[in-house]
Amino acid sequence: MKPARTQVVSFFSLILVLLASSFLGGCGSTGGSAGGSSAVTLSIGGGSGAASPAGLAAPRAIPVSITTITITVTGPGMADIVKTIDVAGRATIVETLSVPKGSQRTFTITATDVNGVVRFQGSQTADIFGNALTLSIPLAVAGTNPALGRWFWRNPSPSAAYMNAIAFGSGTFVAVGNFGALMTSTDNGATWVQRTSGATIPLRAVAISGNIAVAVGDYGVIVRSTDRGATWSLASTDSGNNLTGVAAGNGAFVAVGTYGTMLSSTDGGLTWGAANSNTEFASDLYGIAFGNGQFLAAGGVVIRSATGTGTWEDVTPEMSGVSAVAFGNGQFVLVSDSGGGLVTGDGGTSWDYFSTSAGSLSAIAYGGGHFVAVGQSGNNSAVSVASGAWNDGFGGWGTGTGLTTDDYLYGVAYGNGVFI
């Protein structure tokens, strides 16, 4: 079990820059309208985010899920102002409103998706008397956000083993665990079938490509299935180190583990050989994902390779404790045992930092326009509501509802419209 670290909480801000059209308004009024108007310029999506480690940019910009932003301005002695803006895929929006001068001007922002569902909202009240003013409005995840969907218990058939990982492919969820435990479900987790893996030691990770599934575990054990998880057999490998992650891509399976262990297979997981020619990457690796034509492996270091074999490139950012990696919507996302993480849209050349209100995170998956990360105290598992747009300016993380477990969650996968 990964140790818990200090919980991190953050929000990202929408910045309103108020530029007075004149400086003739009074500065001492205590209520209502002061006469005249101010040109209020709102810059949406260009605000600064949470404090980030040195050298890392804070996330910003409007999420791709947002199609409409509505600005409402209210206050004593003035008529309400309502402005609806078509986002049209823009990352930032600059809008100018003429707002009557006076006290207690409340700016309310709602950000909605294509279905008219409010995903983010926030408000701030300020006095406007002609002086230049900047307001920072934290936009919280709205309770109507579909990413905060309710979670339901789906208990597998009785098993004495802890389950460590799960994957989806070809219509089947495959879960693996201690003592070689292995289960499959073809009805979105409603029922599970126990399978014989051929292993008796912990299985730590699983990946699926077409009809072939590969699970890896301690002491270098690898098992494979060619019939979507129905039957399994041991694969050939010379490694004795623990394997903690596996991914498929570019016609290969690549597994990673302790002491920088990296193995690859190009024959559907039947035989395995060393995946790297580098000797300097001796750090433990906990996860690997494939996307945009390359593999990204993470742990004590973060490294990448287009083929999964040969020389790997070090792209390690300034963050420790990386526990898992996932790919979605053109981006790799790393999570850590501190509850925060990193995102890159260029394969690791540059990174943006984010934090969540969750505790230690151990796994992450992408699907349906969202990232979901799980970990210590399952009821604090984090749900991304930025629809995969990490330069989002809104924060983009909340917690799922209906989770009533304090158990550690070790794995998460998406398929057929559900996360398990």
Side-chain angles (χ1 to χ4, degrees):
M1 180 178 294
K2 295 182 184 296
R5 293 195 179 184
T6 304
Q7 181 169 300
V8 182
V9 180
S10 72
F11 61 79
F12 301 96
S13 300
L14 175 150
I15 301 298
L16 287 78
V17 181
L18 284 68
L19 303 176
S21 58
S22 70
F23 292 89
L24 301 179
C27 297
S29 176
T30 59
S33 175
S37 298
S38 291
V40 181
T41 301
L42 296 84
S43 178
I44 303 172
S48 60
S52 304
L56 297 177
R60 55 185 63 189
I62 299 171
V64 294
S65 61
I66 299 304
T67 59
T68 303
I69 289 177
T70 301
I71 306 166
T72 304
V73 186
T74 60
M78 63 166 283
D80 293 353
I81 299 172
V82 179
K83 178 72 174 182
T84 300
I85 304 169
D86 182 7
V87 175
R90 288 176 287 177
T92 60
I93 290 175
V94 177
E95 188 73 20
T96 299
L97 300 177
S98 179
V99 179
K101 297 177 184 178
S103 62
Q104 300 177 9
R105 297 325 190 209
T106 300
F107 294 80
T108 302
I109 312 297
T110 56
T112 58
D113 63 17
V114 67
N115 297 315
V117 177
V118 177
R119 289 176 175 260
F120 306 93
Q121 58 190 8
S123 65
Q124 184 67 278
T125 300
D127 296 336
I128 302 176
F129 296 114
N131 294 325
L133 179 65
T134 299
L135 295 180
S136 178
I137 301 181
L139 287 186
V141 175
T144 53
N145 197 304
L148 301 183
R150 187 167 183 82
W151 291 77
F152 299 92
W153 280 103
R154 289 293 185 265
N155 293 314
S157 303
S159 172
Y162 282 102
M163 306 307 291
N164 296 321
I166 187 170
F168 176 85
S170 298
T172 303
F173 283 95
V174 178
V176 300
N178 291 351
F179 307 107
L182 199 153
M183 301 179 185
T184 63
S185 173
T186 56
D187 56 6
N188 289 354
T191 60
W192 294 81
V193 177
Q194 295 194 60
R195 306 294 186 177
T196 300
S197 69
T200 58
I201 55 180
L203 297 173
R204 302 291 182 185
V206 59
I208 303 174
S209 177
N211 290 333
I212 299 176
V214 171
V216 302
D218 289 357
Y219 303 107
V221 67
I222 300 178
V223 297
R224 68 188 288 266
S225 169
T226 59
D227 52 12
R228 297 186 298 172
T231 60
W232 294 78
S233 61
L234 289 168
S236 174
T237 174
D238 294 329
S239 175
N241 293 332
N242 294 344
L243 299 175
T244 53
V246 62
N250 277 350
F253 283 91
V254 179
V256 299
T258 55
Y259 306 108
T261 300
M262 304 179 71
L263 304 174
S264 67
S265 171
T266 56
D267 57 6
L270 182 62
T271 59
W272 295 76
N276 64 312
S277 58
N278 309 56
T279 58
E280 68 269 26
F281 301 135
S283 299
D284 293 343
L285 297 169
Y286 295 111
I288 184 171
F290 178 84
N292 277 352
Q294 69 175 13
F295 290 92
L296 191 79
V301 295
V302 180
I303 53 180
R304 65 184 179 188
S305 167
T307 63
T309 61
T311 301
W312 289 66
E313 181 183 359
D314 188 351
V315 292
T316 305
E318 294 185 32
M319 187 181 78
S320 61
V322 174
S323 54
V325 56
F327 178 85
N329 198 38
Q331 298 166 103
F332 286 98
V333 178
L334 313 180
V335 293
S336 74
D337 56 13
S338 67
L342 293 165
V343 58
T344 177
D346 54 18
T349 302
S350 61
W351 298 88
D352 285 334
Y353 171 82
F354 66 89
S355 58
T356 77
S357 60
S360 178
L361 296 172
S362 59
I364 183 170
Y366 177 84
H370 309 291
F371 284 92
V372 171
V374 300
Q376 184 185 35
S377 296
N379 51 5
N380 285 328
S381 296
V383 181
S384 160
V385 291
S387 293
W390 284 94
N391 292 326
D392 61 12
F394 292 96
W397 286 92
T399 54
T401 61
L403 291 172
T404 57
T405 178
D406 286 330
D407 291 334
Y408 206 114
L409 298 176
Y410 293 98
V412 61
Y414 178 87
N416 283 339
V418 299
F419 286 94
I420 297 180

